[in-house]
């Protein structure tokens, strides 16, 4: 079984209440990778018997450090309409809320469709690039095959401030795994903190909130399969202890799969 | 009293539970302007006696049409840490949830700060531009003084599809009102639906979720006062019944006050 599927293997303990656990394969320096926690929160709604359609939006609020070990997920459909459904999910450990999420699910229909953003042009193919070395990194980056075109994780923290923090990379699960909503949700949290790219200086950081819009439906995700997707990320602003980062995930054919935004706490 | 302050004048009916009402001055074609609902949801957390610090992030999920009339707001601090606090707020009418929100509040500290996005250069000053005519529009756009530089609300819906939906405008409350978190939250929903700008074709639309990050603290908002702020907006993608829009609000001095994203349902 793929380690992500092990992390997503939640057990129903009561109506709308699921038990799972953090997974050592997705450990961060302290506690689990937030992307895996985001995927578990989404999974609780995906597994709920009252679930309608597919996710179109997910917001995860990281309320407190998640400890290694068991995690309880409580999912409630706050409102179900004919073609949309609104979820509130809470992640709890030791009777305290460690994360909250809201999600919008929908039954999609075929409509006029068009891109407005376009995938960066002229990118080298994933197969022509080297995978980022992961030796010495925490477990979670070892669960991704990342091939950077621009804005790699700094090889040295030389405190040479850069004038931007843009990154562009091909990324897929490692080992390979067919892309689905849960893995895409996790992947949208896999961009390294922009402040590291910008400042090349270590600082304590923590994502406080993450929002991902799923432009893809499951049919489009199935077309991507186990191939790499192109991720681009940047920051808009750093101010008084918080910065944002914004990202896009593109299919190899140039379809926007997801757009994502997060707000990150930092300490000088 | 300013009509927005009337809309935000919530009455405590139980611990964490507030009663308010939609305001005719912010009526949309059907029901109230979503920005005012977003501001009311935020206001419930702002008024809560347990509130810590200032908002840094707000996500509002528009779960169902809001009816004109009374609205109940139930705010709960899901987690309070030393410098951050996570809120879940629900808006209810006739015992049904019509909107949910999560918000992150924080005590900010002075840190290294830097912009990465920059305000569009060379914009004409607000005073040199004409206000958008509001005759014939619903009440809510009459509560904003909007002065477009690019991407105005289409004067005619001639179905001439445009190749982008970018807008750039100066905007402030009308009548004037000093900018604060609640009014800024409302204003981040004041960008007209991108699909109207792109397609110049009428279609049924409804925002399903809106996320706003407050890069400004209250001191910076006070510096803006009652002046116009520069809003820029665009869309990334339109697909199978949903499109996103993304926006930035800039102070006249070029400070990023807020960045905002929403996902919008549309019908062909």
């Amino acid at each position: 079984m793929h380690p992500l599927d092990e992390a997503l293997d939640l057990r129903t303990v009561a109506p709308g209440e699921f038990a799972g656990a953090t997974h050592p394969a997705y450990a961060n320096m302290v506690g689990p990778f937030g992307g895996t926690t985001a995927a578990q929160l989404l999974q609780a709604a995906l597994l709920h018997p009252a679930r309608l359609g597919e996710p179109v939006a997910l917001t995860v609020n990281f309320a407190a450090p998640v400890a290694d070990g068991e995690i309880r997920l409580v999912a409630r459909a706050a409102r179900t309409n004919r073609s949309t459904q609104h979820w509130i999910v809470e992640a709890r450990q030791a009777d305290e809320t460690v994360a909250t999420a809201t999600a919008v699910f929908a039954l999609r229909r075929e409509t006029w469709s068009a891109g407005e953003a376009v995938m960066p042009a002229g990118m080298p193919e994933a197969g022509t690039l080297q995978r980022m070395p992961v030796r010495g990194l925490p477990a979670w980056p070892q669960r991704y095959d990342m091939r950077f075109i621009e804005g790699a994780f700094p090889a040295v923290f030389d405190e040479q401030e850069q004038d931007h923090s843009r990154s562009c990379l091909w990324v897929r699960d490692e080992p390979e795994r067919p892309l689905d909503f849960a893995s895409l949700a996790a992947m949208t949290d896999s961009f390294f903190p922009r402040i590291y790219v910008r400042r090349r200086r270590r600082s304590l950081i923590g994502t406080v909130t993450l929002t991902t819009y799923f432009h893809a439906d499951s049919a489009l995700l199935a077309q991507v399969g186990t191939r790499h997707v192109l991720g681009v990320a940047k920051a808009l602003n750093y101010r008084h202890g918080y910065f944002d980062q914004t990202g896009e995930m593109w299919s190899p054919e140039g379809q926007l799969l997801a757009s994502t935004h997060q707000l990150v706490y930092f300490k000088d």
Side-chain angles (χ1 to χ4, degrees), chain A residues 3-28:
Chain A
L4 185 60
D5 291 304
E6 290 175 354
L8 296 173
D9 187 21
L10 308 180
R11 181 169 49 87
T12 305
V13 291
E17 190 173 340
F18 303 87
T22 62
H23 196 297
Y26 289 95
N28 205 341

Side-chain angles (χ1 to χ4, degrees), chain A residues 24-249:
Chain A
Y26 289 95
N28 205 341
M29 284 186 289
V30 179
F33 167 49
T36 314
T37 304
Q40 289 176 324
L41 284 152
L42 181 64
Q43 181 78 342
L46 284 165
L47 290 177
H48 198 291
R51 189 250 300 180
L52 177 85
E54 300 185 340
V56 296
L58 172 71
T59 292
V60 176
N61 296 283
F62 296 96
V66 176
D68 293 323
E70 194 182 75
I71 188 162
R72 286 289 169 117
L73 300 141
V74 184
R76 170 167 68 91
R79 180 90 188 203
T80 301
N81 301 311
R82 213 163 37 190
S83 74
T84 57
Q85 189 175 50
H86 288 261
W87 290 90
I88 296 175
V89 191
E90 288 191 60
R92 298 180 66 84
Q93 288 187 319
D95 268 342
E96 293 246 57
T97 298
V98 293
T100 69
T102 60
V104 185
F105 279 60
L107 296 170
R108 285 177 177 265
R109 299 155 293 101
E110 292 265 342
T111 59
W112 169 82
S113 296
E116 193 160 311
V118 292
M119 184 164 80
M123 294 295 109
E125 288 184 26
T128 66
L129 298 166
Q130 291 290 314
R131 184 182 173 198
M132 177 185 77
V134 293
R135 186 193 285 239
L137 293 181
W140 80 262
Q142 307 188 34
R143 297 286 78 69
Y144 291 98
D145 179 312
M146 298 186 180
R147 299 173 182 224
F148 279 90
I149 297 154
E150 182 188 14
F153 189 78
V156 284
F157 281 81
D158 57 10
E159 305 202 4
Q160 295 300 303
E161 191 175 319
Q162 307 297 300
D163 60 3
H164 71 81
S165 69
R166 285 192 305 274
S167 287
C168 187
L169 74 158
W170 290 104
V171 56
R172 66 160 171 76
D173 284 303
E174 173 58 39
E176 289 182 4
R177 180 182 179 281
L179 192 64
D180 59 17
F181 291 109
S183 65
L184 183 55
M187 211 175 276
T188 61
D189 194 34
S190 72
F191 296 109
F192 293 111
R194 296 299 92 193
I195 200 168
Y196 292 172
V197 180
R198 172 75 185 253
R199 298 190 82 191
R200 290 195 186 162
R201 176 188 161 111
R202 285 180 206 284
S203 53
L204 184 70
I205 63 98
T207 298
V208 293
T209 182
L210 164 76
T211 290
T212 293
Y213 297 153
F214 300 101
H215 301 280
D217 50 23
S218 52
L220 181 51
L221 296 184
Q223 284 173 28
V224 176
T226 61
R227 293 178 296 158
H228 288 84
V229 302
L230 188 78
V232 293
K234 65 179 181 182
L236 299 176
N237 201 60
Y238 308 78
R239 189 166 191 274
H240 292 187
Y242 290 86
F243 67 92
D244 68 299
Q245 53 191 56
T246 183
E248 297 160 6
M249 313 297 286

